[in-house]
Amino acid sequence: MANSLVDIVKGKRVLYIATKNMDYLRLQQEIDIIREYAADVTVIGSTHKGYGRRIMKAVWDIWHIDKDDFDVVFVGFLPQTIVPFFHSLFKDKTLIVDFFISLYDTLVFDRKKFGKNSLRAKIVKWYDDRTIKKADHIIVDTKADAGYFAKIHNAPMEKMEVLYLKADTSIYYPMEVKRPEELKDKYIVLYFGSILPLQGVEVILECASMMEDINDIYFIMIGPINDDTYKKYSHLKNIEFINWLSQEELAQHIAMADLCLSGHFNKDIDKARRTIAGKTYIYRAMEKPVVLGENAANRELFNENMEGVYFVEMGSPVALRDKILKVYRGCRP
């Protein structure tokens, strides 16, 4: 790798462009790094909740800002919405992008919105390829993703740099929380997430179903479970479903847990093997034992010799059940 992010921005005037909401942790992580090393930083972004409004604000500011004031332009999360259309405005600047996700991979293989050979799939792949081609430096979240982007989008390995996520330690840190009386003697297994396909939530729910007769173990599932899935498992007495919590409330629930499930657990979506779940960083920041999916991405940072780190075969409720029981029995007399 010829240069690092720090090398590129050190002593330079940097324009950071964000279309994601400004409190998104990945953006703040990057902005903090730039502010530490750059001579000057200007941020284009919006706190508006609507994604369309945020893009409109970014486009307006890009058109009207004086480009001569900057040496480096960094386009944060989802640069595919900006770079293919406006790269010519920055042709004499060093262009950095955070290629956190591939639209093609996400919409075709992860969420299966488009067929692999459809026109829409070709369009989103063009957005990805164009963004990578025009970038001078590409930030990715794992080495596994870098290898995939090199293969699918012809991203030069020498242009890519891994920047692992981190937890917001102003919210997520080790803390003591008093449990409700009904959970005082339970062994709590917790999972939270946005319930995307690659997360493999069905594996967790099937596992909980298989453990319904174990009175001491209680599952807490936090996230927007769809109605059909919820109905299938709503009869279980050993699981509590919570649709949404603020970050502060989420931290308190994690603090109550004895074991946290991270994953990813879906074995059929390749992206699940190439990414580290963001919740993993949160659990570890709170010093919680965590169960990870056995994959290359998780192995980049974690191993069995680390205290409180456990790996499990992806896609197997039986394997997850056995792992939970093993950890549970190791913690009990």
Side-chain angles (χ1 to χ4, degrees):
M1 189 176 303
N3 292 294
S4 68
L5 173 61
V6 170
D7 292 333
I8 294 171
V9 303
K10 186 177 293 185
K12 301 295 177 59
R13 301 168 300 168
V14 180
L15 173 65
Y16 187 92
I17 301 171
T19 59
K20 188 76 172 171
N21 44 302
M22 288 304 301
D23 60 352
Y24 186 63
L25 187 59
R26 181 72 168 184
L27 271 59
Q28 292 304 316
Q29 180 183 8
E30 292 166 345
I31 292 170
D32 287 346
I33 292 172
I34 298 168
R35 282 182 171 151
E36 182 175 355
Y37 293 98
D40 183 69
V41 182
T42 299
V43 176
I44 287 177
S46 171
T47 58
H48 200 281
K49 293 182 179 180
Y51 194 69
R53 291 284 294 275
R54 293 198 300 269
I55 290 180
M56 290 173 61
K57 170 70 163 51
V59 169
W60 173 268
D61 288 345
I62 288 168
W63 274 111
H64 290 86
I65 201 164
D66 188 347
K67 284 67 168 185
D68 291 334
D69 289 344
F70 308 102
D71 310 301
V72 177
V73 176
F74 190 147
V75 186
F77 188 91
L78 213 59
Q80 298 94 319
T81 60
I82 298 294
V83 173
F85 312 102
F86 301 104
H87 63 86
S88 62
L89 299 179
F90 311 118
K91 58 185 177 181
D92 58 340
K93 317 297 179 186
T94 300
L95 179 60
I96 306 171
V97 301
D98 183 345
F99 206 78
F100 191 67
I101 63 170
S102 157
L103 287 175
Y104 177 71
D105 179 38
T106 300
L107 296 175
V108 175
F109 300 106
D110 178 3
R111 304 187 189 181
K112 302 184 187 304
K113 298 293 186 182
F114 309 148
K116 180 180 178 180
N117 298 314
S118 68
L119 176 60
R120 287 183 292 183
K122 292 176 181 177
I123 290 172
V124 294
K125 188 172 186 300
W126 180 87
Y127 288 150
D128 288 338
D129 293 346
R130 189 73 169 169
T131 299
I132 285 172
K133 182 177 181 180
K134 294 300 178 182
D136 296 300
H137 196 68
I138 304 164
I139 301 297
V140 297
D141 68 330
T142 65
K143 296 175 184 176
D145 252 354
Y148 176 80
F149 298 149
K151 179 181 178 181
I152 300 299
H153 299 298
N154 295 314
M157 289 297 294
E158 65 272 15
K159 279 188 177 184
M160 289 188 279
E161 177 183 359
V162 175
L163 179 64
Y164 294 108
L165 289 171
K166 67 175 185 178
D168 185 345
T169 53
S170 69
I171 299 174
Y172 300 106
Y173 53 86
M175 64 179 73
E176 295 290 332
V177 175
K178 185 177 180 181
R179 291 183 175 185
E181 190 65 27
E182 64 272 18
L183 298 180
K184 187 173 65 174
D185 298 321
K186 297 291 187 181
Y187 185 84
I188 296 176
V189 179
L190 179 141
Y191 178 86
F192 81 91
S194 50
I195 319 300
L196 298 172
L198 85 166
Q199 294 171 349
V201 172
E202 295 83 359
V203 174
I204 301 172
L205 295 173
E206 280 298 314
C207 169
S209 179
M210 295 164 61
M211 301 177 73
E212 188 176 14
D213 60 343
I214 304 175
N215 293 327
D216 286 350
I217 298 179
Y218 188 77
F219 289 79
I220 296 178
M221 176 72 68
I222 302 169
I225 302 288
N226 67 54
D227 289 342
D228 290 340
T229 302
Y230 174 77
K231 288 175 184 176
K232 184 177 179 181
Y233 296 98
S234 61
H235 66 282
L236 296 177
K237 301 293 190 253
N238 65 333
I239 187 167
E240 177 183 356
F241 292 96
I242 302 173
N243 185 63
W244 182 87
L245 292 173
S246 69
Q247 289 199 69
E248 290 75 15
E249 292 170 320
L250 175 60
Q252 292 181 13
H253 278 72
I254 294 171
M256 288 194 304
D258 295 290
L259 181 64
C260 295
L261 305 181
S262 186
H264 298 302
F265 298 112
N266 188 308
K267 69 175 183 178
D268 299 318
I269 296 176
D270 184 58
K271 183 178 177 181
R273 301 180 183 277
R274 295 185 278 102
T275 55
I276 300 171
K279 61 184 66 64
T280 304
Y281 301 97
I282 289 174
Y283 294 150
R284 297 305 289 167
M286 297 189 69
E287 298 181 1
K288 288 295 177 178
V290 60
V291 178
L292 306 175
E294 178 59 80
N295 61 55
N298 283 328
R299 289 284 179 181
E300 291 178 24
L301 291 182
F302 305 101
N303 63 70
E304 301 93 335
N305 295 323
M306 295 177 173
E307 184 177 356
V309 173
Y310 307 96
F311 286 86
V312 68
E313 174 189 351
M314 297 171 66
S316 172
V318 173
L320 182 58
R321 177 201 63 189
D322 293 346
K323 183 65 65 174
I324 292 171
L325 286 173
K326 184 176 181 179
V327 178
Y328 162 72
R329 288 165 180 160
C331 295
R332 294 284 170 119

